[in-house]
Amino acid sequence: MSRLEKLIKELCPNGVEYKELNSVCKFQNGFAFKSGLFVEDGLAILRITNIFDGKLSEDGYVYFNPNNYKENLEKYLVKQGDIVIAMSGATTGKIGYNYSKNQYYLNQRVGMFVPNKSKLNPRYLYHWLSGQSNDILRISSGNGAQPNLSSIKMMQFEIPVPPIEVQCEIARILDNFTELTAELTAELTARKKQYEYYRDELLKFDTSVPKVKLKDIAMNIYRGSGIKREQITETGIPCVRYGEIYTTYNTWFDTCVSHTILEDISNPKYFEYGDILFAITGESVEDIAKSVAYIGNEKCLAGGDIVVLKHNQEPRYLAHVLSTYEARQQKSKGKIKSKVVHSSVPAIEEIEIPLPNIEIQKKYADVLDNFEIICNDLNIGLPKEIELRQKQYEFYRNCLLTFAETGNIIQT
């Protein structure tokens, strides 16, 4: 008999009570920091863009001077061990845990869970919340690509609340899974940085290769047309919404994850094989105008805040060269840190890239594709191992956090 089974048999043999989250945990909404008062150095502000993969980012923060505010901001302080959630935008519902000793202040559209630690173990709560992503998204509302999450509805979710000792043991077991996944992810991150360095060096040409602006190779360049979140369907015409360029697609793709009904779109804008898509609205200067090439065979719809570039070059080469550090610097040039960052067709047109002949473009694209596959392909190497470990974690999380009326967990 495992330690967990012994604890359950001893402490809750007759079942585990489910309680509304608001009865064992408080919720703190963020503060409306003014973007005009952001400074280069000071106290860090935690924004929705700083939450990803269950943790907080190491960089990409903006800062404020507390002397610029009269309010007492202590209740917005995120300390080590605190749990936060993105309340809107492309990252809606993402859960983050502050593993570091760094402290941050909650920006608006970010919320923090404050558990009653005598009733709810924070790591147990974190694992439980991680398993509620679908339900959390289901209660979000809003049009377009900016859904909003209701903290009132979310805090009405029912959570199983076994004795603290049981919670701690469940958290310990699940932490073992996440620690292994974190080690593999760190190794993969190092590999991706190596790939990015290799790609950038490979695409640094001498003066024999001409540099051109995108407007010089554009056969056509235009904005997409708005596709609302509620207009996304399981079937219909394939489409891409701008948030998906940030969250779903890598350098190039051949199949859309979303569809819509053509008749519901008042002013459809199409893209097809070879076109480059730019997301011209984003939540950080560093990632604005992320681009991706489409190499599929279907004719698809481009959503609002997407710019479509038509050309007669090798699309995979353009996708790689537009992902380099030099290209990203041009995309972010002149942009100001704010809640929402925008680019435009004129700004996209001015991006300058090296452009060898089409045959050289294809050779470079093939080499970089192979390297990227090693980093990202879910069927090989570290990505496959991480995916399997994640599925294993999710399986055990669901088992350990699903208590039958008898008080016994579902057997694994």
Side-chain angles (χ1 to χ4, degrees):
M1 182 180 294
S2 70
R3 171 172 168 76
L4 178 59
E5 290 172 323
K6 290 179 180 178
L7 286 172
I8 290 175
K9 184 175 182 180
E10 176 185 348
L11 300 174
C12 48
N14 298 318
V16 173
E17 185 178 3
Y18 280 69
K19 298 180 179 180
E20 284 195 0
L21 189 54
N22 56 31
S23 69
V24 289
C25 180
K26 294 181 180 180
F27 190 82
Q28 178 62 57
N29 285 297
F31 178 76
F33 289 98
K34 299 175 182 177
S35 59
L37 295 178
F38 290 168
V39 294
E40 292 298 322
D41 191 22
L43 301 179
I45 299 173
L46 179 68
R47 300 181 295 171
I48 58 176
T49 51
N50 301 122
I51 302 173
F52 72 105
D53 293 338
K55 56 185 179 181
L56 307 184
S57 60
E58 297 179 359
D59 49 29
Y61 291 91
V62 296
Y63 303 88
F64 76 98
N65 183 338
N67 294 327
N68 290 331
Y69 296 90
K70 297 179 180 179
E71 297 87 349
N72 183 352
L73 301 176
E74 287 307 302
K75 67 179 180 180
Y76 304 105
L77 185 60
V78 180
K79 302 176 183 178
Q80 185 176 27
D82 284 340
I83 306 167
V84 296
I85 183 171
M87 300 295 289
S88 68
T91 57
T92 298
K94 294 290 185 182
I95 303 293
Y97 187 91
N98 187 13
Y99 290 93
S100 74
K101 294 181 180 179
N102 298 332
Q103 296 186 347
Y104 312 94
Y105 286 81
L106 287 176
N107 194 30
Q108 60 184 347
R109 305 197 296 160
V110 182
M112 178 170 62
F113 296 92
V114 186
N116 180 338
K117 293 182 180 179
S118 67
K119 299 179 179 179
L120 201 57
N121 175 276
R123 286 300 293 174
Y124 174 85
L125 172 61
Y126 165 78
H127 289 296
W128 180 81
L129 287 167
S130 297
Q132 306 303 308
S133 57
N134 290 335
D135 289 335
I136 289 173
L137 285 177
R138 194 173 295 121
I139 63 170
S140 64
S141 61
N143 295 327
Q146 294 290 334
N148 293 288
L149 186 59
S150 166
S151 60
I152 295 176
K153 291 181 180 179
M154 181 173 59
M155 295 300 287
Q156 291 173 343
F157 285 177
E158 291 192 336
I159 178 174
V161 186
I164 283 291
E165 295 88 343
V166 174
Q167 294 181 36
C168 291
E169 180 61 13
I170 290 174
R172 184 192 67 79
I173 293 170
L174 294 177
D175 280 346
N176 287 337
F177 285 106
T178 57
E179 286 172 11
L180 177 57
T181 302
E183 291 174 3
L184 293 171
T185 302
E187 185 176 346
L188 181 60
T189 299
R191 181 181 291 180
K192 287 182 176 179
K193 288 183 178 179
Q194 181 185 28
Y195 157 71
E196 290 172 0
Y197 173 81
Y198 174 76
R199 176 199 62 205
D200 287 6
E201 288 298 312
L202 188 65
L203 295 176
K204 286 180 180 177
F205 296 93
D206 59 32
T207 55
S208 64
V209 174
K211 285 192 173 184
V212 301
K213 293 183 177 181
L214 293 186
K215 66 181 180 182
D216 297 326
I217 63 171
M219 299 170 62
N220 197 3
I221 184 167
Y222 54 89
R223 290 188 60 162
S225 181
I227 301 173
K228 297 179 180 179
R229 184 164 174 259
E230 58 266 28
Q231 291 176 314
I232 297 300
T233 57
E234 293 292 329
T235 59
I237 185 169
C239 66
V240 171
R241 300 167 70 232
Y242 88 87
E244 294 169 345
I245 295 178
Y246 290 111
T247 61
T248 304
Y249 302 112
N250 291 316
T251 306
W252 53 260
F253 69 106
D254 56 11
T255 305
C256 297
V257 298
S258 298
H259 297 78
T260 192
I261 304 302
L262 179 59
E263 291 75 17
D264 292 343
I265 308 302
S266 58
N267 184 28
K269 298 289 185 179
Y270 296 91
F271 67 89
E272 52 195 347
Y273 175 86
D275 292 346
I276 307 294
L277 308 182
F278 297 84
I280 60 168
T281 294
E283 292 163 343
S284 75
V285 171
E286 295 78 12
D287 293 330
I288 189 63
K290 181 179 183 296
S291 50
V292 61
Y294 175 65
I295 59 171
N297 297 319
E298 295 185 90
K299 197 172 183 179
C300 313
L301 293 184
D305 291 328
I306 289 177
V307 164
V308 179
L309 170 70
K310 290 187 173 293
H311 57 90
N312 57 6
Q313 308 299 317
E314 166 56 49
R316 293 175 301 127
Y317 171 81
L318 291 186
H320 284 295
V321 79
L322 286 167
S323 298
T324 61
Y325 175 78
E326 183 177 343
R328 296 199 308 273
Q329 288 291 97
Q330 294 181 68
K331 292 175 182 180
S332 62
K333 184 178 180 181
K335 304 299 184 296
I336 300 173
K337 291 182 178 180
S338 183
K339 291 185 295 183
V340 180
V341 184
H342 297 286
S343 188
S344 63
V345 169
I348 298 298
E349 289 179 322
E350 291 298 313
I351 296 172
E352 191 175 68
I353 60 169
L355 194 71
N357 67 57
I358 195 76
E359 292 304 318
I360 298 297
Q361 291 180 36
K362 290 178 180 178
K363 289 180 180 179
Y364 274 74
D366 288 342
V367 171
L368 290 170
D369 279 354
N370 287 333
F371 205 156
E372 191 173 57
I373 285 171
I374 293 173
C375 288
N376 297 318
D377 195 322
L378 293 179
N379 294 312
I380 61 174
L382 283 175
K384 180 64 175 178
E385 180 70 13
I386 290 171
E387 182 193 32
L388 292 175
R389 292 295 181 184
Q390 182 63 24
K391 287 182 178 179
Q392 187 180 36
Y393 161 73
E394 291 172 0
F395 173 78
Y396 278 94
R397 179 190 65 200
N398 293 338
C399 290
L400 293 174
L401 296 177
T402 302
F403 290 84
E405 292 181 358
T406 60
N408 296 315
I409 60 173
I410 294 176
Q411 294 299 311
T412 60

